[in-house]
Amino acid sequence: MLPRSAATTPPAFDSLRGRASRISTCHSTVPTTKCIPPHSAKMSKLDQILILDPPSDLRFKGPFTDVVTANLKLKNPSSMRVCFKVKTTAPRRYCVRPNSGVIDPGATVNISVMLQPFDYDPNEKSKHKFMVQTIFASSNNSDNESLWKDAKPDDLMDSKLRCVFEMPSENEVNDVDATRAAPVINSMKAEPTVPAAAADDTEMKKLLEKCKRLQTEINKLNDENRQLKDEGIRMRKMPPRSDHMTPNSTNVVGRETSTAFLPSLLVVIAAIFIGFFFGKFIL
C-alpha cells in the first residue's frame, strides 16, 4: 500500500475541488452593501417657519356673482426676516395682494385672496390650490429676486392650502339682501327731504318779508289814525257854527267815521296773516 501522504486523489475529486474554487472566486467578486457617510445623505426639507391662519383651507362664501375675498394671515415667530411668495394653480381666477414680500421678526402680514366672479356648480369640486413658499432672508442681500433665484431646494419652505367654495344658507342670503337694500332705502328716504327743506326755507323767507311789509303798513296806518284823531279833537274844540256845514267839516266827519273802523280792520288783517304763517309751519 502507498503511504497516506503519497496517496493520489481520484480525478473526480479533482474536478469537484476545481468547481468549488471557481464558485468561491465568483462570490468574492459580488459587491457588498456600501455604507453612505452621513455628510453625503440627502438633507430633509425644512418645516414651514411661518404660522398660517387659516392653516390648510381658504374658504370662499358665495354667491359668486361678485368678487369674493378670503383673508390669510402670515405670522413670523422667528428672530429672522423671512421672504414669502404666494402661488396658485389657477392664476387667472384669483388676485392676491400682496403676493410676495418680507416679514420682519414677530410681525404679521395680512393677505387678501380675491376670487373672480364665475358660474358656480355645486356638483363640481374645487381643485384650486395655493402654496405659500418661504425662505430666510439674507442680512447682506437686499435683492429678493436674486435670493429666490439662487436659493437651493433644501432652503425653501412651503405650505399648501386648498380652496373650498361654500354657498350661504337662506338666513345668510336674507341678511345680505337686507344689508344691500338698506342703503338704497335710506337714500330714497333722504332724497325728498333735501328739496322739501329748501322749499320750506324759501317760503319762510317770503313769509317773513310779507310780515315785515305788513308791519310797515300797520305802522303807517297807525300814524295816519293818530293824525286823524288829533284833527278830530281840534275840530271838536272849535266853536260850532249855526250855518250849514262846510265841505271841510264834512270831510273831517267822514275821516272820523273811517278812523273808528281802522283799528278793527287792522286787527283782522294781522290775525289773518299771523294765522296763515303759523298754520304753514305747523302743518
Side-chain angles (χ1 to χ4, degrees), residues 96-149:
V96 182
R97 293 290 181 274
N99 59 1
S100 63
V102 181
I103 307 176
D104 293 328
T108 302
V109 172
N110 294 322
I111 297 176
S112 298
V113 182
M114 292 164 278
L115 173 63
Q116 303 304 310
F118 71 101
D119 295 331
Y120 174 69
D121 186 2
N123 298 323
E124 181 180 357
K125 293 184 179 180
S126 174
K127 297 180 180 179
H128 301 167
K129 293 181 181 179
F130 277 83
M131 182 174 68
V132 178
Q133 200 170 45
T134 57
I135 187 174
F136 286 108
S138 175
S139 58
N140 300 326
N141 190 2
S142 59
D143 188 4
N144 294 331
E145 292 297 329
S146 61
L147 179 65
W148 286 105
K149 185 177 180 181

Side-chain angles (χ1 to χ4, degrees), residues 158-186:
D158 58 60
S159 298
K160 295 181 180 179
L161 301 95
R162 66 187 186 96
C163 298
V164 179
F165 300 152
E166 297 177 345
M167 289 299 293
S169 61
E170 294 182 359
N171 294 332
E172 292 178 348
V173 171
N174 294 332
D175 293 340
V176 171
D177 293 340
T179 304
R180 292 179 178 177
V184 178
I185 296 173
N186 293 332

Side-chain angles (χ1 to χ4, degrees), residues 54 57-61 68-72 111-115:
D57 295 337
L58 283 177
R59 297 186 177 272
F60 299 88
K61 287 190 176 182
V68 181
T69 303
N71 296 318
L72 175 64
I111 297 176
S112 298
V113 182
M114 292 164 278
L115 173 63

Side-chain angles (χ1 to χ4, degrees), residues 186-201:
N186 293 332
S187 62
M188 292 176 64
K189 290 182 178 179
E191 286 177 357
T193 59
V194 175
D200 291 342
D201 293 338

Side-chain angles (χ1 to χ4, degrees), residues 5-51:
S5 58
T8 58
T9 305
F13 286 102
D14 291 338
S15 62
L16 289 174
R17 188 180 293 112
R19 291 177 59 187
S21 62
R22 286 196 300 269
I23 291 173
S24 61
T25 303
C26 292
H27 280 286
S28 63
T29 59
V30 175
T32 59
T33 304
K34 187 178 181 181
C35 296
I36 301 175
H39 65 272
S40 63
K42 186 177 180 181
M43 295 178 62
S44 60
K45 199 167 188 179
L46 296 176
D47 293 333
Q48 178 63 266
I49 191 64
L50 299 182
I51 299 176

